[in-house]
Amino acid sequence: MIDIVEGPDGSGKSTLCIQLVDILGPDCRYKHFSYPKDKQEADSLLYTYNTYLRDSLIEGDNVVIDRMWPSTMVYGEVLRGNPEITYKQALELEAYLCGHAIMIYCTGNPEDMWHRCVERGEDYVTGFKDFYSICKKYDEVMLEQKHLIPVFTYTIPKEG
């Protein structure tokens, strides 16, 4: 089974991934995908994702993935002006994964998530305005668009 964990920075993705790997046991692998570092990496993302998913399915691996194509759809559009993966390509990836994967959308109050980002010193997103746009785009990609694999929402508890 492949569990893809998605959401804005500060939404609890990595914490949830660690918990899932612990629960699923020693045969479960963890993989983190980051944003593309350059144009060549951006241009090869679809191939990279396809190859990784194909190999994981062939091996019958249990994998928890921290970020994948929804992140590139969101961050690519908001911060880089162009999503590296299109909605059509996303559906092609999901069609390949039907019956073998789920997505977990980590979300929460944008102000709380932004506060966690600032506390951690993250510098990829430099202002709340961009961060808020990222949160809204994630809601669109994860909640409003049709998906071919199940999408579950995990709302991080409010700080308090």
Side-chain angles (χ1 to χ4, degrees):
M1 181 63 130
I2 298 174
D3 301 311
I4 301 165
V5 181
E6 279 291 344
D9 292 322
S11 65
K13 288 181 310 303
S14 296
T15 301
L16 181 59
C17 286
I18 291 166
Q19 292 170 342
L20 286 170
V21 169
D22 286 346
I23 290 168
L24 295 171
D27 292 333
C28 182
R29 286 188 297 117
Y30 169 81
K31 174 69 174 171
H32 179 271
F33 282 99
S34 188
Y35 63 91
K37 306 295 188 270
D38 55 35
K39 183 170 176 11
Q40 181 181 355
E41 195 172 301
D43 291 344
S44 67
L45 273 178
L46 185 60
Y47 175 80
T48 300
Y49 293 157
N50 267 318
T51 302
Y52 185 81
L53 294 169
R54 183 201 67 221
D55 292 349
S56 295
L57 289 173
I58 289 170
E59 296 297 320
D61 294 339
N62 284 326
V63 184
V64 174
I65 301 173
D66 188 341
R67 295 197 182 276
M68 213 169 203
W69 66 86
S71 290
T72 62
M73 293 171 73
V74 171
Y75 284 84
E77 182 170 317
V78 174
L79 296 181
R80 298 182 292 277
N82 187 31
E84 291 85 6
I85 300 293
T86 67
Y87 178 62
K88 181 178 184 252
Q89 291 169 324
L91 287 178
E92 291 170 3
L93 287 165
E94 290 186 26
Y96 184 66
L97 293 173
C98 281
H100 303 286
I102 64 167
M103 273 197 281
I104 301 170
Y105 172 40
C106 295
T107 187
N109 178 290
E111 289 85 6
D112 291 342
M113 291 186 291
W114 176 248
H115 179 71
R116 280 190 282 286
C117 291
V118 170
E119 278 184 342
R120 292 193 304 222
E122 292 183 23
D123 59 0
Y124 185 61
V125 182
T126 58
F128 181 73
K129 182 179 175 187
D130 282 343
F131 186 77
Y132 188 78
S133 296
I134 287 165
C135 292
K136 291 300 158 200
K137 186 65 181 176
Y138 256 114
D139 284 347
E140 177 188 321
V141 167
M142 298 303 291
L143 302 175
E144 297 172 22
Q145 292 180 348
K146 180 176 175 51
H147 292 275
L148 301 176
I149 61 176
V151 176
F152 300 93
T153 301
Y154 170 75
T155 303
I156 191 166
K158 184 163 176 51
E159 292 181 352

